[in-house]
């Protein structure tokens, strides 16, 4: 079962579902200047939004950002979730972020279990988000910074919002359960709200296919996602149940682009006679020794 060459093709930029900058500064989100120019006047009443006509209950893809730590380095990881719209997209995305589960291993919910959305209003480019007191239990330092920015990036991606005014139990200042809210916002808060932190680190790889646990029929697995890696080289390995490499190869996204670029690849392998659990690894390889600097592991089921 030697590794076969992987067949890779760059997908059209117009079809990107996780489009964002290679670094956050090059992202598709609002610039810092634009965010600072946003009107700060916004009603703060804790009232929820209503869905657009004809959208209630319809499943739609939403991008949710999760924190992930790899070898001590934190990242924001965009994931494409199919969410049933019982509300406007921004509210649905927030509830998915707080109570849903990341699709891919390694990513985590930004705030502790039990964190809830208490209220939400959107007015004049500013979303006012009221969260329950459980959120103050997030670990200090980088975990806090990436948790808050996961919320900000998710909100500003879900709707035409430039700023996010975050409250805890209806408060934007003072203490909640012994933690100052100024500490929770990392010193970047303001009466006008938070904008995307353009120094945040985005994950170099993001996948949309295959989904974890997917059954792969035949002898070829299709991999789709986005990458922003040196020279655009994305490496792939398929591990069998014994920990041996059943197939491996590389594909190339457009490494000349200073942004996350979609890629599609297919990795051929010799399927086992019975259905078994294998693991797909998609990774950024170190140019020095080929080791995985950042990887995404996806359990899949293969076999006839």
């Amino acid at each position: 079962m030697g590794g076969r060459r992987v067949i890779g093709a760059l997908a059209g930029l117009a079809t990107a579902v996780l489009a964002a900058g290679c670094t956050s500064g090059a992202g598709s989100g609002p610039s810092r200047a634009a965010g600072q120019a946003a009107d700060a006047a916004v009603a703060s009443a804790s009232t929820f939004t209503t869905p657009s006509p004809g959208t209630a209950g319809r499943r739609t893809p939403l991008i949710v950002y999760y924190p992930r730590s790899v070898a001590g380095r934190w990242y924001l990881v965009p994931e494409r979730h199919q969410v049933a719209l019982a509300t406007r997209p921004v509210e649905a995305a927030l509830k998915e972020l707080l109570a849903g589960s990341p699709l891919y291993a390694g990513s985590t919910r930004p705030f502790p279990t039990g964190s809830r959305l208490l209220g939400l209003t959107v007015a004049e480019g500013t979303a006012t988000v009221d969260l329950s007191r459980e959120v103050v239990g997030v670990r200090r330092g980088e975990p806090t910074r990436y948790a808050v920015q996961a919320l900000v990036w998710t909100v500003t991606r879900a709707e035409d919002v430039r700023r996010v005014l975050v409250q805890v139990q209806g408060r934007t200042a003072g203490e909640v359960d012994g933690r100052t809210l100024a500490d929770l916002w990392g010193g970047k808060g303001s009466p006008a709200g938070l904008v995307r932190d353009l120094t945040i680190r985005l994950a170099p790889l993001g996948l949309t296919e295959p989904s974890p646990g997917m059954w792969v029929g035949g002898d070829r697995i299709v991999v789709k996602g986005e990458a922003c890696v040196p020279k655009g080289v994305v490496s792939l390995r398929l591990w069998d149940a014994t920990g041996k490499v059943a197939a491996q190869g590389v594909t190339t996204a457009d490494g000349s682009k200073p942004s996350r670029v979609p890629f599609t690849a297919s990795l051929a392998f010799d399927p086992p006679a019975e259905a078994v659990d294998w693991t797909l690894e998609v990774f950024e390889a170190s140019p020095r020794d080929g080791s995985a600097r950042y990887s995404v592991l996806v359990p899949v089921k293969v076999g006839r």
Side-chain angles (χ1 to χ4, degrees):
M1 297 198 295
R4 302 186 189 177
R5 293 282 298 176
V6 63
I7 303 170
L10 177 65
L13 290 178
T15 64
V17 295
L18 299 180
C22 183
T23 60
S24 58
S28 61
S31 68
R32 187 182 300 274
Q36 291 173 341
D39 189 344
V42 60
S44 59
S46 294
T47 57
F48 288 107
T49 55
T50 57
S52 301
T55 63
R58 187 182 67 194
R59 295 188 69 81
T60 188
L62 295 175
I63 304 303
V64 180
Y65 288 84
Y66 289 104
R68 185 186 184 193
S69 177
V70 178
R73 290 167 64 88
W74 283 87
Y75 299 88
L76 278 191
V77 183
E79 290 190 357
R80 183 176 182 263
H81 287 218
Q82 292 289 337
V83 178
L85 289 184
T87 60
R88 280 171 58 171
V90 63
E91 184 181 338
L94 273 170
K95 290 182 175 179
E96 182 72 9
L97 177 71
L98 295 172
S101 298
L103 297 176
Y104 296 95
S107 297
T108 61
R109 289 179 186 168
F111 299 105
T113 299
S115 299
R116 293 173 292 114
L117 178 65
L118 300 181
L120 170 69
T121 59
V122 180
E124 300 182 3
T126 298
T128 300
V129 178
D130 189 13
L131 303 175
S132 65
R133 64 188 336 111
E134 288 83 0
V135 301
V136 302
V138 65
R139 288 190 296 127
R140 298 174 187 269
E142 288 289 85
T144 290
R145 178 189 177 207
Y146 275 77
V148 171
Q149 283 298 310
L151 185 147
V152 172
W153 281 68
T154 296
V155 170
T156 55
R157 183 64 183 270
E159 198 153 324
D160 185 18
V161 170
R162 296 182 295 274
R163 284 183 176 272
V164 184
L165 180 62
V166 186
Q167 303 173 336
V168 179
Q169 301 290 150
R171 303 172 62 183
T172 57
E175 289 190 4
V176 174
D177 291 349
R179 185 168 187 182
T180 64
L181 298 187
D183 172 67
L184 191 65
W185 311 146
K188 294 182 179 295
S190 75
L194 300 167
V195 297
R196 289 187 178 189
D197 183 347
L198 301 185
T199 65
I200 213 76
R201 189 180 299 112
L202 294 180
L205 294 169
L207 297 185
T208 57
E209 189 178 328
S211 57
M214 189 179 84
W215 179 71
V216 180
D219 62 355
R220 190 176 298 273
I221 185 170
V222 175
V223 183
K224 295 181 180 180
E226 286 190 336
C228 184
V229 293
K231 299 182 180 179
V233 177
V234 178
S235 300
L236 304 98
R237 287 189 290 229
L238 187 61
W239 300 87
D240 69 15
T242 68
K244 295 181 180 179
V245 176
Q248 60 184 336
V250 298
T251 189
T252 305
D254 189 345
S256 67
K257 301 289 185 181
S259 59
R260 296 167 63 88
V261 178
F263 68 88
T264 299
S266 62
L267 190 61
F269 62 96
D270 296 324
E274 298 179 351
V276 293
D277 295 322
W278 285 8
T279 300
L280 170 71
E281 181 183 16
V282 183
F283 63 100
E284 173 194 358
S286 168
R288 291 189 300 177
D289 57 12
S291 62
R293 295 202 300 189
Y294 184 95
S295 65
V296 181
L297 298 174
V298 188
V300 295
K301 191 172 291 292
V302 300
R304 299 186 176 92

